Amino acid sequence: MSRVQQEVLSRTALGVFRLNGQFLAVAEKLAEPAGLTAAWWQVLGAVLPEPLPVAGIARVMGITRQSVQRIADLLVRDGLAVYAPNPAHRRAKLLAPTEAGRAAIARIGPGHAELAARLTAELGGLEAFEETVRVLERLSAALEAVEAAAGREG
């Protein structure tokens, strides 16, 4: 790897770390009025379309199963989610939002929509925002491919 490639990789990593911190801070502000944390919002959001096992949520979010399990247990404790039987796996229950969980997520909607509109304007329009998303998704896919290839080699 050339020195220039290393510098680009370092700048990319630092930029993504900073962006992650910025998103977490904004998510905490958006989630607070709904009585959620950013992490709770993230886990509840993952199961809005369909119930998922904790391991499936962890895979989608790119975090550890243990972290998701801890949050899922708190969501269930507070009545924002429930564990449901999993027809595909007897022991790995599915996490599903309750009506209270869906209502909490809905309370985030207006602030979320406002932030989306402001970011769209700041980036120069929807097309530019969509291109930003495509680049981030491409970077994520490339990193997954590199890691998978390294796993096969090692």
Side-chain angles (χ1 to χ4, degrees):
M1 178 181 344
S2 76
R3 182 73 189 141
V4 173
Q5 289 172 317
Q6 284 180 286
E7 288 173 13
V8 171
L9 176 58
S10 293
R11 285 180 47 217
T12 301
L14 291 173
V16 169
F17 295 153
R18 180 168 187 230
L19 188 60
N20 182 58
Q22 290 170 311
F23 267 114
L24 288 174
V26 167
E28 288 293 342
K29 286 180 194 169
L30 288 173
E32 186 178 17
L36 301 175
T37 67
W40 288 28
W41 177 17
Q42 194 175 16
V43 171
L44 267 178
V47 297
L48 285 178
E50 66 177 337
L52 293 170
V54 167
I57 298 167
R59 256 190 314 280
V60 168
M61 293 173 36
I63 60 176
T64 67
R65 190 199 62 74
Q66 293 83 355
S67 296
V68 175
Q69 185 67 64
R70 182 181 51 78
I71 294 165
D73 289 344
L74 293 171
L75 291 169
V76 169
R77 179 199 72 193
D78 287 1
L80 299 169
V82 294
Y83 287 117
N86 183 348
H89 193 285
R90 205 167 14 114
R91 291 189 337 203
K93 301 244 184 265
L94 299 173
L95 185 71
T98 62
E99 284 307 310
R102 288 183 183 281
I105 295 294
R107 286 192 294 278
I108 296 170
H112 189 258
E114 180 186 338
L115 177 61
R118 290 171 65 193
L119 276 174
T120 301
E122 186 65 30
L123 288 167
L126 188 56
E127 188 175 308
F129 203 168
E130 289 172 334
E131 178 60 22
T132 301
V133 173
R134 282 190 293 275
V135 168
L136 290 170
E137 290 170 343
R138 190 169 145 222
L139 178 60
S140 179
L143 190 55
E144 282 179 5
V146 167
E147 287 298 305
R152 289 189 299 271
E153 294 168 5

